[in-house]
Amino acid sequence: LGNPPWERIKLQEQEHFADVPAIARAANKAERERLIRAWRNGDAWQRARIAAYDAAKYRADAESRFVRASGRFPLTAVGDVNTYALFAEHARSLLAPAGRAGIIVPTGIATDDSTKAFFGDLNERRQLISLYDFENREAIFPGVHRSYKFSLLTIGSTDQPARFVFFATDVSHLTDPQRVFTLTPADLALINPNTQTAPVFRTCADAELTTAIYRRVPVLVNERTGENPWGVSFRQGLFNMTSDSHLFHPAPGAGLLPLYEAKLLHQFTHRWATYAAPAGRRGEPQSRELTAAELADPAVTVTPRYWVPAAEVEKRLAGRWERQWLLGWRDITNATNERTAIFSLLPRVGVGGTAYLMLFTGDVPVTRVACLMAVVNSLVFDYVTRQKIGGTHLNIMYLTQLPVLPPSAFSADDLRVIVPRVVELVYTAWDMRPFAADVWAEAGDDIRQAIWQRWRACHGAVAGDEQTVPPPFRWDDERRAQIRAELDARIARRYGLSRDELRYILDPADVYGDGFPGETFRVLKANELRQYGEYRTRRLVLAAWDGDEA
């Protein structure tokens, strides 16, 4: 039994210079490094302080080199080494054949990229007995922050499925049958085939439903088998917000394109937020959501913080992407936000590292890309994403291991239903006309006619030139809510869900009662109750399900 130290061996500059606010609170790493260089030629105290920093950095680097070179920690001496992971591997190496070890470690032992090799090896060797995850909300450890997550990890030889609990806040939760679930090594390999890290289910019901979805739907990219049905590759933006900052311009100009950041995007829209100079005062531009009047004007575009050279955008996309639009998603997120997976199409612009890009390496028809947009912004996909996110990032490691309906899952009838609706949601401004034009060029007459039918219904028009792409669709909140409900219902059917399973995803209390410990879209429900006096999404989605016999 043990509680090993939880310390990163890598020196953290902000922590080391906590007594020097100018350095600790610098705007970014580049600014900190500039100040440190300046202090090397500063007064006697500054030079002494930098000498202490150099000594501490040398010691940390030496310790890191030692644990990597020792050969004792082949699975955990990777990345930014943390002592808790080293102690966990050390405890495993000390076990007798019938021995067991129980240690208290951060939950990252089961969910982080840096420990995936160790956790996967425990799983493959059938040495994972249990993992009980706690949130420190009730101050079980008074000296640890209330939001910190830690786990009771028990390892040793076993022929039984591993027992899990996540999001416990009290020891009594370890005996709650609604919270405790088991997963076999095969289940873990199915759910996270690339890393074999642990999903973070709140309840046994979540574990059963998510596992059932994975049995029907493949992951986006299976690195072990090479399966990649969509032929996708990825890039973390086009510009690093720190190292590429010398390319950033504070105002538009000839040969410059907007630099989009993740906060400007939301589901099905590239015009969620815009930057504006602070009213009546100087300082950094502040972001705000677009107004209803701005969204109603298809000529309105967002104002970014920075602009970047168009030549640099083309250079970074050359040979990888030829279309005049991009597909991206937000990196920073949370499993308890209103929505977790936030994907959007956007124009061919600069993209900062806070957003990821999905590029298609194969010849995927744009009509199928429209279906993919419906999938990754659906409630079902969002629900599964929430079971997998262990922190605040939806990075490539997580995304590739999410169950994504393949291109072959969509019938001709699905295309007639999904594609025109996605076009209406996405194409509300002139700068997204390239996407609409690509759909128009590749779609059949039935989809083209459906696009015009929807445009006339949206605008109250009776005629239009049906031989070409219509103008942008009018932004209509009520209409968009209905469209999204119809897409959610159709995608849920393609995932193989029953109506009761969809009810559970929308609101577990609707199925199990108010005392049930699980939560799915609690914040979405609360926001809609406050705004509309009802859980509007639930009503619309279930009505769409009942009306969709596909």
Side-chain angles (χ1 to χ4, degrees), residues 157-311:
S157 296
T158 180
D159 58 1
Q160 299 299 312
R163 290 168 57 86
F164 293 90
V165 172
F166 282 94
F167 300 101
T169 57
D170 187 271
V171 176
S172 64
H173 292 163
L174 301 184
T175 58
D176 183 346
Q178 291 183 317
R179 294 177 181 269
V180 180
F181 60 91
T182 62
L183 293 173
T184 67
D187 291 334
L188 286 169
L190 175 71
I191 295 169
N192 280 329
N194 302 337
T195 61
Q196 296 197 30
T197 48
V200 286
F201 301 126
R202 286 182 178 271
T203 67
C204 184
D206 290 326
E208 292 173 354
L209 177 54
T210 305
T211 303
I213 289 173
Y214 270 93
R215 291 192 178 116
R216 294 190 292 265
V217 179
V219 296
L220 181 61
V221 180
N222 191 317
E223 296 172 357
R224 294 182 177 239
T225 64
E227 294 174 272
N228 184 349
W230 286 95
V232 293
S233 62
F234 309 98
R235 178 161 180 150
Q236 187 171 1
L238 296 175
F239 295 87
N240 184 286
M241 299 303 290
T242 299
S243 60
D244 287 329
S245 59
H246 63 284
L247 298 170
F248 299 172
H249 296 258
L256 298 178
L257 290 173
L259 178 66
Y260 270 66
E261 299 175 54
K263 66 177 66 177
L264 305 183
L265 314 172
H266 213 279
Q267 293 182 322
F268 295 113
T269 178
H270 65 297
R271 300 191 300 163
W272 176 255
T274 188
Y275 276 96
R281 60 187 178 89
R282 301 174 63 184
E284 280 286 313
Q286 303 297 309
S287 64
R288 63 166 177 81
E289 294 181 16
L290 270 74
T291 65
E294 289 170 327
L295 290 170
D297 185 348
V300 168
T301 59
V302 302
T303 300
R305 273 198 301 174
Y306 306 111
W307 284 257
V308 292

Side-chain angles (χ1 to χ4, degrees), residues 125-140:
R125 297 191 186 194
R126 302 191 70 95
Q127 292 181 311
L128 179 60
I129 295 170
S130 62
L131 181 87
Y132 300 140
D133 161 69
F134 286 83
E135 290 180 316
N136 199 44
R137 191 184 310 163
E138 303 300 327
I140 297 173

Side-chain angles (χ1 to χ4, degrees), residues 237-424:
L238 296 175
F239 295 87
N240 184 286
M241 299 303 290
T242 299
S243 60
D244 287 329
S245 59
H246 63 284
L247 298 170
F248 299 172
H249 296 258
L256 298 178
L257 290 173
L259 178 66
Y260 270 66
E261 299 175 54
K263 66 177 66 177
L264 305 183
L265 314 172
H266 213 279
Q267 293 182 322
F268 295 113
T269 178
H270 65 297
R271 300 191 300 163
W272 176 255
T274 188
Y275 276 96
R281 60 187 178 89
R282 301 174 63 184
E284 280 286 313
Q286 303 297 309
S287 64
R288 63 166 177 81
E289 294 181 16
L290 270 74
T291 65
E294 289 170 327
L295 290 170
D297 185 348
V300 168
T301 59
V302 302
T303 300
R305 273 198 301 174
Y306 306 111
W307 284 257
V308 292
E312 282 293 331
V313 174
E314 294 305 317
K315 176 181 176 182
R316 294 166 194 226
L317 287 172
R320 298 193 66 184
W321 190 248
E322 301 304 323
R323 295 190 185 271
Q324 296 304 303
W325 47 269
L326 300 166
L327 194 163
W329 78 93
R330 287 190 186 185
D331 173 28
I332 301 298
T333 187
N334 199 294
T336 57
N337 289 352
E338 179 172 302
R339 297 300 293 263
T340 298
I342 296 176
F343 287 74
S344 178
L345 295 176
L346 60 156
R348 192 179 176 97
V349 293
V351 180
T354 56
Y356 283 91
L357 294 176
M358 183 186 296
L359 309 174
F360 299 87
T361 56
D363 187 21
V364 178
V366 70
T367 51
R368 304 281 170 170
V369 174
C371 292
L372 179 63
M373 279 293 295
V375 170
V376 295
N377 280 325
S378 70
L379 287 164
V380 178
F381 183 81
D382 208 311
Y383 164 76
V384 179
T385 302
R386 289 163 183 251
Q387 316 305 316
K388 308 293 287 295
I389 295 291
T392 58
H393 294 272
L394 177 52
N395 57 30
I396 295 169
M397 180 190 82
Y398 287 116
L399 180 65
T400 55
Q401 297 183 114
L402 290 171
V404 177
L405 293 166
S408 59
F410 303 100
S411 66
D413 184 65
D414 288 328
L415 294 176
R416 284 191 293 271
V417 171
I418 295 171
V419 175
R421 286 168 171 78
V422 171
V423 170
E424 179 171 348

